[in-house]
Amino acid sequence: MSNSRISAALRAAGVHRPDRSRIEHIARGTYRVRDGARTLACKLFDGPQAGERARTEGAAYAALAARGAPVPQLLAVDDAKGTVVREWVDGPTLAEALRGEVARPAWAEVSIAWNALLAALDAWTDALGPARVERARSLRTAEIAAVADSVIDSLVVRIGDPAWAAAAEKIRRFADLTTAAPMRTVPLDLNPANLILGADGIVFVDLEAFGLDFPDWSLCKATMLPHDPASGRAGQALLAGHGDVPCPHGDSPLLAGALLLALADAAGLWRSEPPHPAGLTLVRDLAAQAPNVRQLATALV
C-alpha cells in the first residue's frame, strides 16, 4: 500500500485522519475506504502518464455527473500525485453477473444507463470538426471490416463447405450493420467489470479514456465476456437469452456486433491460443435468436 499517496488523496477529499484498518485493497491501484457513514474509492495511477490519466478520469466524472450521466460523484483529484477519490458504488459488477455469481440485470436497465451516458458525451462529439469524425469513422469501419475478413479466413468457418459462401456473406453483413450508425463519443476502456449493478441502477466506473466509435459495437464489447480456453468455459453475453432484448431479426446492429465479436473471440483473433470448441457456443446461442442468421451455425466447425 502506498500510504503517503493514499493519505494525501484522502486529505484532499476531506478525510484527515483515516483509519488504516478501514482501508481495503480491492484491485490493482484501487482501495475502498470507510470513513464513518461514507464509503470512498481511492484510485492510484502509476506510470509515466499517471497524472494525465488521473486528470482525465477526474474531469470525466465531474463533467458527466453534471450532465446527469450514471457515474460516481468525484470527491478529489490530484494529477501531480496521480490519484482520484470518488464515492464508492456498492454492488456487484456486470462481469460477476455474466459469470453467474449474481442475477443478471435486465437488458433494458443496461440500455437505459448506456443511453444516458452517451447523451452526456454527445457534447464532446458535437465539438469535433466533421473531418475528424469522418476520419475516425473511416478508420473504425476498416478495422471492423478487417475483423470480419479475419473471421472468414479463420478455422471457425469450414472453408470449402457448401454453406461457406453464404456464411462469409453473412459475416461481412455483420460488419456493415455494425458500422452503419453515426459515430459517437464513448468510453474506450469499458468492459463488464466497469459496470456496477448498484441499488439505484447501473453506474459506470474507471473512465480513463474516450474516443469515437460505433455505439452498438461499444455496448456489445461492454456487455460480453470472452470464452476461457483453459477451462472450456463458454463466452457470455448479456444479449444472449434475454426476452427483453430488441433484436428479433438478423438486421439488428446489436445482434450483428455481438455475433461478430463472439466469432472473433472463438477464432482467437485477440489471443495466442488456438480456437477452442467452447468459443463457438456463444455464437450458436446468439445465432438462434434470429431466423435469418441461424443457418450460420451450419458452416461453423
Side-chain angles (χ1 to χ4, degrees), residues 260-276:
L260 186 53
L261 284 167
L263 283 163
D265 178 47
L269 297 190
W270 297 305
R271 64 177 81 220
S272 58
E273 299 91 345
H276 189 284

Side-chain angles (χ1 to χ4, degrees), residues 157 166-168 170-171 174 259 263 283 287 293-300:
V157 180
K170 183 66 65 178
I171 292 168
F174 293 158
L259 277 163
L263 283 163
V283 179
V293 294
R294 288 174 187 163
Q295 70 271 27
L296 173 67
T298 65
L300 302 176

Side-chain angles (χ1 to χ4, degrees), residues 182-226:
M183 297 287 283
R184 297 176 77 176
T185 300
V186 300
L188 295 180
D189 55 351
L190 205 58
N191 63 69
N194 295 338
L195 276 71
I196 308 298
L197 313 183
D200 297 323
I202 306 294
V203 179
F204 297 90
V205 300
D206 290 348
L207 304 177
E208 293 186 32
F210 297 86
L212 291 167
D213 207 341
F214 298 103
D216 285 337
W217 178 251
S218 296
L219 180 57
C220 287
K221 288 189 287 186
T223 55
M224 296 176 67
L225 284 178

Side-chain angles (χ1 to χ4, degrees), residues 22 31-41 75 85-90:
R22 308 196 74 188
Y31 297 83
R32 180 166 53 200
V33 182
R34 302 189 187 279
D35 176 46
R38 296 192 304 171
T39 304
L40 315 178
L75 300 174
V85 181
R86 59 168 173 81
E87 68 170 335
W88 179 269
V89 182
D90 280 320

